Amino acid sequence: MTRHDLHCPIRDFMTLSPHSIGRTQSLSTALERMRAHDVRHLPVLDGGRIVGVLSQRDVLFVETLRDVDPSTVTVEEAMSTEVYAVAPDVPLAEVAAEMAQHKYGCVAVVDHGHVAGIFTSVDALRALAVLLGPSGDGRAVASAPRA
């Protein structure tokens, strides 16, 4: 791996066109969508623009609250409104450093105001596997399909 590899744009490693959810949808709907598509983060949209991120952890936390029915709670009530968003050409190293420093589970990749992709901790591990190349014993590192 060279320093140059770490300056590859995030677009080379992000998950394209991620599943998303509207801010007025219920948490039950969000959890169903997460389970159906095997994802842990959903960009939250309002009129096509990102207004937050809902994580599986956010949903599961609300489910643990006594006397709270997730089917009556909206995504907007549980989502994080502080979204780390970057342009598609931001270097991988910069994004990874910010994720580690602030313990972000995902990054929204936004192009001209619209969500073009998402880069999660799983995508970061895939990027690491690609950048490390063949394993120490000469076998290629397996690449998992993108969700």
Side-chain angles (χ1 to χ4, degrees), residues 11 19 37 42 44 50 53-54 65 73 79 81 93 102-103 106 123 139-140:
R11 82 167 65 82
H19 298 282
H37 300 290
L42 293 172
V44 180
I50 190 163
V53 171
L54 184 71
L65 299 175
V73 177
M79 71 183 189
T81 56
H102 298 287
K103 298 182 181 176
C106 72
D123 293 317
R139 291 182 291 148

Side-chain angles (χ1 to χ4, degrees), residues 7-81:
H7 293 287
C8 292
I10 200 67
R11 82 167 65 82
D12 292 352
F13 300 99
M14 71 184 187
T15 298
L16 294 170
S17 304
H19 298 282
S20 60
I21 193 154
R23 65 181 181 79
T24 60
Q25 300 252 345
S26 73
L27 286 187
S28 295
T29 300
L31 189 56
E32 287 172 18
R33 187 163 301 164
M34 288 176 175
R35 287 180 176 151
H37 300 290
D38 195 26
V39 297
R40 293 183 295 169
H41 299 90
L42 293 172
V44 180
L45 306 180
D46 185 19
R49 303 279 182 190
I50 190 163
V51 294
V53 171
L54 184 71
S55 72
Q56 185 179 45
R57 184 180 298 168
D58 297 331
V59 177
L60 296 176
F61 171 74
V62 171
E63 284 186 328
T64 66
L65 299 175
R66 189 168 21 171
D67 299 328
V68 175
D69 179 1
S71 66
T72 64
V73 177
T74 64
V75 166
E76 185 173 43
E77 294 174 284
M79 71 183 189
S80 299
T81 56

Side-chain angles (χ1 to χ4, degrees), residues 81-102:
T81 56
E82 293 182 24
V83 179
Y84 177 43
V86 299
D89 59 346
V90 174
L92 171 64
E94 182 179 324
V95 173
E98 283 292 311
M99 287 179 75
Q101 180 178 357
H102 298 287

